[in-house]
Amino acid sequence: MKTTMMDVPLSLNHLLDRAGRYFAASEIVSRRPDKSLVRHSYAQWHRRTRTLAAALAALGLLKGERVATLCWNHHAHLECYFGIPAAGGVMHTLNLRLAPAEIGAIAADANDRFLVVDDILLPLYRQFAPLHRFERVIVVPFSGAPVPAEFTDYEALLAGVSAADEANFRYAAHDEDDPVSMCYTSGTTGKAKGVAYSHRSTILHTLVGNQPDYWAMRNTDVLLPVAPMFHANAWGTPYAAVMMGVKIVFPGPHLHPDDLLDLMQIEPPTLALGVPTIWLGLIQAYERALAEQPGRWKLPRGMRSLVGGAAVPEALIRAFDRHGVWLLQGWGMTETSPLATVSYPRQELAGAGSDERYRRAAMAGVPAPLVDLRLRTEGGTEVPPDGRTMGEIQVRGPFITGSYHGVPVTADKFAGDAGDGGRAGGGEGERWLRTGDVATIDALGFLRITDRTKDLIKSGGEWISSVDLENALMAHPAIAEAAVIAIPDEKWSERPLACIAFKHGASATPEALNAMLLAQGGFAKWQLPERYEVIDAVPRTSTGKFWKLKLRERFAK
Ligand code: ADP
C-alpha cells in the first residue's frame, strides 16, 4: 500500500513565510555597537529577508554555494539565516573569536563565495583576507559608519532590489535534504571540522527543541540569545523563535555581564541561552551589586535559561534558583544540531525533594526524541544503566551529522552498528557518531557527563572525573571558577591538579578545600587534587567555555 500523504519537503521557507504572514507585529530588537536599540517588526524582517535572497540570486549565487557570515547576534544575521537558503545558498557562520589564521583556513576549506561581515569586524576580516578570496564582501553598517568603497554595503544591496522584484522573487527549488547552513566545530580539542545542516534536519531539530520539557517557546516569550549565532546556530533557537513568532532581543557585541544585566532591565527576557561561563559571570556581577548597589538590577523573575555546551555546576543552578531563574541544562555538540539531551523534571521524582531536583538538573539529562543514544566501554561493550559505569556516548538520528565536510568517514569518529570495534559504519543508516564524551546513564535515562575522553584523569588504573571535582569545588563559597586537569605522575600515571579562581576578596586553604571535598563532595582520598594552583580566571575557548588545553600547556609539564 502507498501513503496518501502529500510529498511536501520540509523547508525553512515555510517558517519564513509563516512568520511574515501570521506574526507581522512581533519584534526583533538588536543592540548596536553604541548600545542603542534598533527595532524591526517581523513584517519588515520578512521583507528584508526576501529582499536579501533576491539580491543574492541577482548576484548569481548558485545552489549549494556557501555565503559566510562574520557577525554578532542581530537582525541582519537572522536575515542571513533564512535569506541565504531562500536563494539556494548555504549560510556558513564564521566564529569571530577564532584566531584570524583559523578563520581564513575555515573559509578556504568551505570555499565560501561571498562574505557578509559587520562593519566593526572589518579589522578582523582584513587580518585573514589574504588566506581566502571572497568574490564579494558585503558589509553590514551595524555601527552606522559609512561602508568603505571597496566593499558592498548590505543596506545598499537591499535598497537596490525593487518592491516588485521582492514580490516576484521565487525561492530556489530544493529537496529537504539540501544544505541550509554550515558550522565548524569550535576545535576545543582538535582541528575544526565542518558540519552541514539541511532543511530537514533543521526543521526536525526545531520541532524537537520546542517540546514542552525543552525550550518550549511560546508566542508570548521574549528570547535573549546570548550564545553566539555562529555557535551551532545559537543552538537552533532563532529557528524556533521564528516558527512561533517570538520576540527576539539580540545583544549585539555587548556580552559583558553588566551589559547583559542592563539589557535585561530594558527588555526583560523570559528565555535566555548561553554557556555556563556566561551565567557564572552574570550571577557574580548580580550578587555583588545586590550587596554594593542594591536596586541596580533585577533578574527577570520566572525567566528560564538554557545552559549547555559545558557542564553546569549544581551550585550555579542553586544560585539562580534563589533569584527565581531556572537553568535548564542540555548536552549537545555542533555535530548534533546541537540538542541531544535535556534535564527536565520527571514524574518518578515528584516526591524526591529539592536536593534530588538540583542533582538531576546538574546532569546532562535524557535523550531527546529522534536521538538514539548508546554508551560504549573502551572494550566496545554496552554500558549498563546503573548510573555508575562510564562509557563513550555514541549517537545517531536525523539531526546528527553522518560525516564531516570533505573528510573521509573514519572509525575514530563513526562507529558501525555492530559495535565500535574499529569499523566505521557501512551505510549511513547504521552509523553512530562517536562523541568523545564520557558519561554514565541511569535507569531513568539520565546522562551524567563525567568528562571528555581527553580530560579524564587516569590515576592508578582508576578514572577520576574532572567535572565532578570542578562542580564540587565551585560549590565552595570562596570559589568563583575551578578547572581540574590531569598532571603526569610517575607512580599513578596521572593525578588531578585543581586550578581555582577565588571570588572577589575571598580565599580558602588547600586543606580546607580537601576537607570540604571529603565531607560534602563524597570523594575518596585518592580522588582529591594532588595540588591547587590559584589563577585569576580560567582561560576561555572561542565559544566561551573553560579551555583546559591552555591550563595543561601551563601546568601539566
Ligand atoms: P567544541 O567541541 O569545540 O567545544 P561544541 O560547541 O560542539 O564544540 O562542543 C560540544 C562539546 O561540549 C560536547 O562534546 C561536550 O564535551 C561539551 N558539552 C556540551 N554540553 C555539555 C553539558 N551539558 N555538560 C558537559 N559537557 C557538555
Side-chain angles (χ1 to χ4, degrees), residues 185-189 231-232 307-312 329-335 338 341 363-364 435-437 449 451-452 467 541 543 545:
T185 59
S186 45
T188 305
T189 55
H231 185 209
V307 190
V312 186
Q329 170 163 206
W331 165 82
M333 319 167 71
T334 304
E335 289 89 331
T341 69
M363 294 183 174
T435 65
D437 282 339
I449 311 284
D451 260 308
R452 290 190 183 209
V467 173
T541 70
T543 48
K545 305 182 193 182

Side-chain angles (χ1 to χ4, degrees), residues 194-236:
V195 170
Y197 311 100
S198 63
H199 283 277
R200 177 182 157 83
S201 72
T202 307
I203 297 280
L204 292 176
H205 180 264
T206 306
L207 288 169
V208 168
N210 246 351
Q211 296 301 302
D213 277 323
Y214 303 164
W215 44 76
M217 260 184 253
R218 297 170 164 212
N219 182 258
T220 48
D221 270 318
V222 178
L223 174 71
L224 173 67
V226 182
M229 292 170 86
F230 58 75
H231 185 209
N233 292 333
W235 310 350

Side-chain angles (χ1 to χ4, degrees), residues 18-346:
R18 173 186 150 78
R21 184 165 305 142
Y22 305 120
F23 309 127
S26 294
E27 248 189 330
I28 298 166
V29 183
S30 306
R31 205 168 200 199
R32 303 176 63 198
D34 66 1
K35 297 197 180 172
S36 64
L37 299 178
V38 53
R39 294 169 192 276
H40 291 86
S41 68
Y42 266 45
Q44 288 170 312
W45 170 78
H46 176 248
R47 201 171 337 105
R48 286 172 55 88
T49 301
R50 283 180 45 87
T51 305
L52 170 66
L56 291 171
L59 288 178
L61 184 71
L62 300 176
K63 198 169 152 184
E65 285 185 333
R66 267 75 71 199
V67 179
T69 61
L70 186 70
C71 297
W72 292 102
N73 289 9
H74 52 59
H75 63 279
H77 209 169
L78 190 66
E79 287 157 13
C80 292
Y81 264 53
F82 288 84
I84 294 168
V90 180
M91 174 192 62
H92 172 204
T93 50
L94 291 169
N95 180 339
L96 57 89
R97 293 205 196 275
L98 293 176
E102 281 178 277
I103 306 177
I106 287 172
D109 188 68
N111 195 17
D112 298 325
R113 184 170 171 195
F114 302 147
L115 171 70
V116 178
V117 53
D118 286 346
D119 55 1
I120 54 171
L121 292 169
L122 278 174
L124 174 59
Y125 159 70
R126 288 198 168 97
Q127 290 181 64
F128 68 82
L131 298 174
H132 178 68
R133 194 191 154 271
F134 297 96
E135 192 182 306
R136 190 179 282 264
V137 175
I138 303 164
V139 177
V140 178
F142 193 28
S143 72
V147 170
E150 72 255 43
F151 303 120
T152 301
D153 180 329
Y154 183 89
E155 291 301 331
L157 183 73
L158 262 55
V161 178
S162 70
D165 285 348
E166 184 269 313
N168 293 329
F169 173 72
R170 292 285 162 266
Y171 297 126
H174 69 82
D175 295 329
E176 62 178 22
D177 288 323
D178 285 341
V180 291
S181 66
M182 189 177 193
C183 182
Y184 277 67
T185 59
S186 45
T188 305
T189 55
K191 188 175 169 291
K193 293 183 290 300
V195 170
Y197 311 100
S198 63
H199 283 277
R200 177 182 157 83
S201 72
T202 307
I203 297 280
L204 292 176
H205 180 264
T206 306
L207 288 169
V208 168
N210 246 351
Q211 296 301 302
D213 277 323
Y214 303 164
W215 44 76
M217 260 184 253
R218 297 170 164 212
N219 182 258
T220 48
D221 270 318
V222 178
L223 174 71
L224 173 67
V226 182
M229 292 170 86
F230 58 75
H231 185 209
N233 292 333
W235 310 350
T237 56
Y239 299 111
V242 166
M243 179 182 272
M244 300 315 293
V246 167
K247 174 172 175 177
I248 312 178
V249 179
F250 286 120
H254 304 293
L255 305 183
H256 187 276
D258 292 7
D259 289 325
L260 291 172
L261 284 161
D262 282 345
L263 182 61
M264 285 180 180
Q265 313 311 301
I266 314 167
E267 292 287 350
T270 60
L271 179 65
L273 63 140
V275 290
T277 46
I278 288 281
W279 305 114
L280 270 173
L282 197 108
I283 199 74
Q284 281 167 37
Y286 183 69
E287 293 196 330
R288 212 167 140 188
L290 278 185
E292 293 171 8
Q293 300 165 278
R296 178 172 179 195
W297 294 309
K298 262 176 78 175
L299 274 178
R301 273 207 100 71
M303 178 175 88
R304 289 124 62 214
S305 176
L306 284 173
V307 190
V312 186
E314 188 178 318
L316 186 68
I317 299 170
R318 286 178 181 264
F320 270 97
D321 197 28
R322 281 198 292 277
H323 301 292
V325 173
W326 186 248
L327 301 191
L328 184 71
Q329 170 163 206
W331 165 82
M333 319 167 71
T334 304
E335 289 89 331
T336 64
S337 287
L339 168 77
T341 69
V342 176
S343 186
Y344 52 89
R346 287 280 292 262

Side-chain angles (χ1 to χ4, degrees), residues 438-520:
V438 179
T440 64
I441 191 161
D442 67 15
L444 292 181
F446 274 77
L447 277 192
R448 200 170 59 79
I449 311 284
T450 48
D451 260 308
R452 290 190 183 209
T453 332
K454 293 189 176 71
D455 293 336
L456 266 178
I457 301 155
K458 289 187 182 160
S459 176
E462 298 280 349
W463 282 356
I464 301 177
S465 160
S466 64
V467 173
D468 286 352
L469 279 173
E470 287 160 9
N471 286 348
L473 286 168
M474 282 192 273
H476 190 282
I479 294 188
E481 297 178 2
V484 177
I485 56 168
I487 45 169
D489 185 278
E490 269 186 25
K491 183 166 174 204
W492 302 106
S493 119
E494 286 179 350
R495 293 289 299 145
L497 167 79
C499 303
I500 48 174
F502 288 117
K503 285 186 187 157
H504 186 69
S507 71
T509 62
E511 294 73 32
L513 293 175
N514 280 344
M516 187 258 321
L517 290 175
L518 285 173
Q520 290 153 38

